[in-house]
Amino acid sequence: MATDYGYDSGLGFPETVRRHRVPAGLRAPFEGRTWREFGYVLLSLPISIVMFTYAVTMILLGAGLLVTFLGIPVFAAGLAGCRGLGALERARARGLLGLEVGDPEPLRMRKSGFMAWMGAVLKSGTSWRTLLYSVLHLPWATFSFVVAVNFWVYGWALLTYPLWFWVFPAYVGQDGLQLYGDQTHHIYLDNPFEIGVTALVGLLFTLATPWIVRALTTVDRVMVHGLLGPTRLTARVVELESDRGVVVDTAAADLRRIERDLHDGAQARLVALAMDLGLAKEKLTEDPAAAARMVDEAHGEVKTALQELRDLARGIHPAVLTDRGLDAALSAVASRCTVPVQVEVDLPARPAPAIEGIAYFTVSELLQNISKHSRATFAAVDVWRVENRLLLQVVDNGVGGADVSSGSGLAGLAERLDAVDGILVVDSPVGGPTRVTAELPWRGERL
């Protein structure tokens, strides 16, 4: 096995690349993944028998008892048991197949008590999908078990035939493994050529078995993911709930930042200004010259406070963005960058204000990172629309090494974009250049 060292284009750090001298087809029969998948197939048959027996017994018993009130509780108990068996199957697939399947939607009960629980179990789509899995998995598990075991056993038996063919003449009373036989003819695999061909066929079976088992477990993966995992709607609800939390946290952080900036900046300056004007008022009659100097200093403080308020307002939502759109706003923010920035905005119309604001602050944050960390001499900003997506790209020729996973400002930027179904992709190898691409949903401006 040889080892090369390269660079991961996403992180910019050297990574180890392992190249096996043995081809994948020859390694497959001895890899841990193959044995885990084969073990999954072997366990599937007894587990599916238990699941099928339990599911059919409980459903038929519940159906038979529907004439009484006991039928519905039996139905609910059967479905609840299937949900538990489904959790076991997810764990088994996670451990042996490496399949990461999220937990399905939990039971939603508006009230507490047995009746509420029973109603929630019967109404849950997850319960019925696990029941369907329990019924359908048995025939497939039987088929995959038979195919996998036969290929595995025959492959290794034929491959090792040169080692054990002597058993036949020594203990069975025949020349070798019988290939064909009737009342008049018998064909045995007993000469060196036939033994060699038998081992070659066994080698082909042995090399093909891991891929056959992998194909069989692919169907298991589809069944587990489709019937035992969360539905698309459930996954979408969970994603939206997470995004809502990110939006709330981001808004709270912005409010705290605005409050801190006001308290530490303009508010403190205005308090000092009021005190200076009060002292100037007292000295107006006693020492007009000193009062004039204090008023002049207060005038300078007013200008500084106004500038801080303008900067703060620009950080909340710049007026140029509202009045003239992204092109003018990005040109303005680019002019304040410490490196020359080329801005190109090609949009047929203005997006919705929320999307426009996120695009502006994304570019603004990226240009600030360029000014502070990149040591670049040139940067470029491109904004365009592709179908129903708004894309923006910021490129610089700096030192690179930017990493979203390090918990920096890029991570917070990625979370903010994700909250509106956006994507942030960072390509920043060590030594540069850095290319950051953001993608946002396009929503047209409401008139």
Side-chain angles (χ1 to χ4, degrees), residues 42 50 133 145 255 356 363 387 395 416:
L42 293 181
V50 173
Y133 177 88
F145 180 89
L255 288 175
E356 195 175 51
V363 175
E387 296 180 353
V395 183
R416 179 172 293 193

Side-chain angles (χ1 to χ4, degrees), residues 75-129:
F75 260 130
L79 292 176
C82 288
R83 290 175 67 101
L85 293 173
L88 172 65
E89 283 294 275
R90 288 193 300 274
R92 188 166 70 97
R94 188 179 301 113
L96 295 178
L97 299 183
L99 179 64
E100 292 296 333
V101 181
D103 294 332
E105 181 183 9
L107 294 178
R108 298 184 179 274
M109 297 185 295
R110 297 181 178 179
K111 300 179 181 179
S112 60
F114 177 74
M115 297 299 293
W117 173 84
M118 186 169 58
V121 171
L122 293 173
K123 292 178 182 179
S124 173
T126 302
S127 303
W128 296 100
R129 288 198 306 275

